[in-house]
Amino acid sequence: MTSTVFITGATSGFGRAAAHRFAKAGWKLILCGRRQERLDTLQQELSSLTDVYTHVLDVRDSTAVNAVVEALPKDFLPITSLLNNAGLALAPQAAQNVDLSDWHTMIDTNITGLVNVTHALLPSLIETGAGASIINVGSIAGQWPYPGSHVYGASKAFVQQFSYNLRCDLLGTGVRVTDLAPGLAETEFTLVRTKGDQAASDALYEGANALSADDIAEQMFYLATLPPHVCINRLEIMPTTQAWSPFTVKRQS
């Protein structure tokens, strides 16, 4: 039986790279994102490799999520793997200088959207059973704080703990859950975070030899194709050029 992967945030970055990686392996694709034109492009690029089903979706809208899941074509069911990839960071300034609306957007996307899609697809994943997997895209920010991370880091800490607790509840179903936590990766992430500041994005990645979207997609595929009895609870991945720094101390003058 052909495997099927459901990918949120498929129109850019990790999600788009994952769509290409899974398509090359012959997996059926269910691709969701907010940009119709990019979904159409993916359909054109990948339909010669595998069956592709696309749908415009804002994961923050639980009614829309449930409607998409209920309308999935039967030949794409049951779902083998869910890649909860949709998410974003905004407002890298200090917390006291951030618009509250940016915090709400991160919470609504990174937390509410994640639980909306997971809840809707759990019955299908449990139907698949052994070998099924939920791969939640977290971040090293969920484990390691830094200035300007505020709600973004907190939302990714939620991803980690939700993954762990979901894993406990799914014990015995065969469904695996992984918190995949990338470090510095060169995608549209910083452009979104800085609301289009290309110079800021270029400066962050210059000379860093950061991870690529393809690097993360390869890890997603690895996690999804492990033997059914193997579950990696958390996979933290950084470029070799990135590591932790000492604590910062604000000294009195």
Side-chain angles (χ1 to χ4, degrees), residues 144-156:
W144 311 108
Y146 62 88
S149 184
H150 39 77
V151 165
Y152 174 68
S155 72
K156 292 304 184 178

Side-chain angles (χ1 to χ4, degrees), residues 5 17-29 45-47 49-50 52 221:
V5 60
H20 280 265
R21 180 63 183 90
F22 280 81
K24 289 177 183 177
W27 284 51
K28 292 182 179 180
L29 305 178
E45 291 173 344
L46 301 177
S47 58
L49 299 174
T50 189
V52 182
F221 185 75

Side-chain angles (χ1 to χ4, degrees), residues 216-229:
I216 301 304
E218 193 63 40
Q219 299 307 309
M220 291 173 167
F221 185 75
Y222 165 70
L223 292 167
T225 55
L226 285 166
H229 70 288

Side-chain angles (χ1 to χ4, degrees), residues 58-63 65-66 108 111-121:
D58 185 339
V59 297
R60 298 174 295 181
D61 184 341
S62 62
T63 300
V65 169
N66 289 330
D108 291 345
I111 297 178
T112 304
L114 173 75
V115 300
N116 286 344
V117 176
T118 303
H119 189 270
L121 286 176

